[in-house]
Amino acid sequence: MKTIGIAVTDPHDWTGVALCNSVTCSGMKPVMFSFSSATSDVLSGKIHAGKLELSALDAIIVRDLGPAEQNGAALRFDILCQLKDSGVAVINPPEAIARAANKYVSSCLFQKNGIPTPRTVVTGDVDAALGALSSFGRAVVKPVFGYKGIGVECVKNDPRGETKLRMLLEKNGMLYIQEFIRNPGRDIRVFVVDGEVKGSIYRIAPIGSWINNLSQGGNAKVCALTQEQEKIALKAAKVTGTVYAGVDIIEGDRDYVLEINGTPSGKGIFEACGVDVTVGIAEYVFNLV
Ligand SMILES: Nc1ncnc2c1ncn2[C@@H]1O[C@H](COP(=O)(O)OP(=O)(O)O)[C@@H](O)[C@H]1O
Ligand SMILES: [Mg+2]
């Protein structure tokens, strides 16, 4: 029987538990572990998490690599690449996780592949930052490796906004500045597995907020995608190389892909649509190993 590692931080996380169940239902053996206890011995080439030998697994599904400061995140990622090189199937592939985690890299990929995405500038230069703000009118500044809407800031093109932008630049050294897209108070999360849309929800921001993430108090409602929305979501997943992904789309004067998540939660889609996306992920892994 094939043994499938499921990398989680919280063993009670909905998606992690659902992945375990779906892996079991596909006739494979799931084992949950956390990257926080990953240990790599360079001499022997063996990689463990506690007593579990990660290098002996048939596959690893990465639900989440866990929070870690810069050095820790880089090491966890390198260990994941090492596991892949040693023959363990890793889903999502480490390169895809890296592309999706980096908003600058994914914005460039969207642009290069004709996927509509808001105008975006990355800069360390104050004049270029102020120039972008003035041309966008209103801007969103995001942490380039951010998630769950944390640290996302709206900056207006007025003297207060300029001061805020200068402060953010001073603090961060480089900024990812994006045009604010006027929208109907919601965005769309599309869940893609292996080239297929499995479910999609509107995320509706709480009153007084413009950030639609469910973890920031947004409400989920079933969403029927247009053909265009389905097309750009599938393309975003494809160009980043993600097997499964959560694609964020915002409806402005047209649909724009905001970003892509390579380690998305399946809980919101399950609660709103009754679709368990982990079934498709387990099937994909079953056919792979
Ligand atoms: N350019 C934008 N225009 C309008 N709203 C935005 C824009 N970018 C982000 N948002 C809002 O902020 C939320 C978080 O941004 P997102 O790029 O998805 O980063 P995160 O990785 O933190 O989820 C989005 O779901 C959306 O509600
Ligand atoms: Mg998002």
Side-chain angles (χ1 to χ4, degrees):
M1 190 186 268
K2 304 284 183 184
T3 307
I4 314 299
I6 297 168
V8 294
T9 303
D10 169 13
H12 304 294
D13 165 68
W14 185 91
T15 314
V17 172
L19 279 167
C20 268
N21 291 335
S22 296
V23 163
T24 306
C25 290
S26 299
M28 303 178 290
K29 184 179 163 218
V31 200
M32 267 194 188
F33 70 95
S34 166
F35 259 97
S36 61
S37 62
T39 305
S40 173
D41 182 70
V42 173
L43 182 64
S44 69
K46 291 225 163 98
I47 301 175
H48 287 85
K51 291 210 170 89
L52 178 69
E53 190 181 341
L54 299 182
S55 29
L57 292 169
D58 294 294
I60 292 175
I61 303 175
V62 184
R63 160 60 186 109
D64 102 63
L65 277 177
E69 41 63 58
Q70 265 175 354
N71 281 324
L75 283 173
R76 285 177 192 189
F77 182 74
D78 290 338
I79 288 178
L80 197 63
C81 292
Q82 184 66 28
L83 285 163
K84 187 188 166 192
D85 289 347
S86 72
V88 181
V90 179
I91 294 100
N92 277 315
E95 324 78 73
I97 294 177
R99 287 184 203 112
N102 184 325
K103 287 190 170 57
Y104 172 54
V105 168
S106 36
S107 291
C108 293
L109 274 172
F110 299 154
Q111 185 62 40
K112 189 174 150 200
N113 288 282
I115 300 167
T117 193
R119 287 183 290 164
T120 303
V121 168
V122 168
T123 184
D125 178 69
V126 69
D127 293 329
L130 293 170
L133 177 63
S134 126
S135 90
F136 296 165
R138 191 171 169 188
V140 182
V141 175
K142 306 182 191 180
V144 79
F145 291 106
Y147 49 90
K148 291 186 173 174
I150 299 166
V152 172
E153 303 252 10
C154 186
V155 184
K156 289 187 185 146
N157 185 26
D158 58 20
R160 260 183 77 189
E162 286 184 12
T163 308
K164 191 170 170 184
L165 198 64
R166 284 177 195 275
M167 274 172 52
L168 286 167
L169 187 55
E170 181 109 342
K171 188 172 147 215
N172 297 291
M174 292 288 284
L175 290 184
Y176 174 102
I177 310 168
Q178 187 167 76
E179 166 187 24
F180 181 92
I181 303 294
R182 283 179 199 287
N183 62 82
R186 66 185 187 198
D187 71 358
I188 299 172
R189 163 57 64 93
V190 186
F191 209 108
V192 176
V193 182
D194 191 19
E196 245 182 70
V197 168
K198 294 290 181 186
S200 47
I201 48 173
Y202 287 118
R203 300 184 303 185
I204 302 148
I207 292 172
S209 173
W210 58 276
I211 298 175
N212 300 295
N213 299 65
L214 299 183
S215 49
Q216 300 285 335
N219 257 311
K221 238 182 80 185
V222 182
C223 162
L225 294 181
T226 63
Q227 273 185 354
E228 166 73 3
Q229 288 161 351
E230 174 155 346
K231 190 180 102 189
I232 61 178
L234 291 175
K235 203 164 175 191
K238 189 168 176 197
V239 302
T240 47
T242 44
V243 171
Y244 77 99
V247 183
D248 292 350
I249 294 178
I250 200 150
E251 304 151 286
D253 54 329
R254 63 178 300 182
D255 298 308
Y256 295 96
V257 173
L258 283 181
E259 63 135 0
I260 183 158
N261 298 269
T263 53
S265 167
K267 189 170 177 236
I269 299 273
F270 180 73
E271 286 175 351
C273 313
V275 174
D276 181 351
V277 294
T278 66
V279 174
I281 301 171
E283 270 168 21
Y284 177 88
V285 172
F286 180 81
N287 291 323
L288 191 70
V289 294

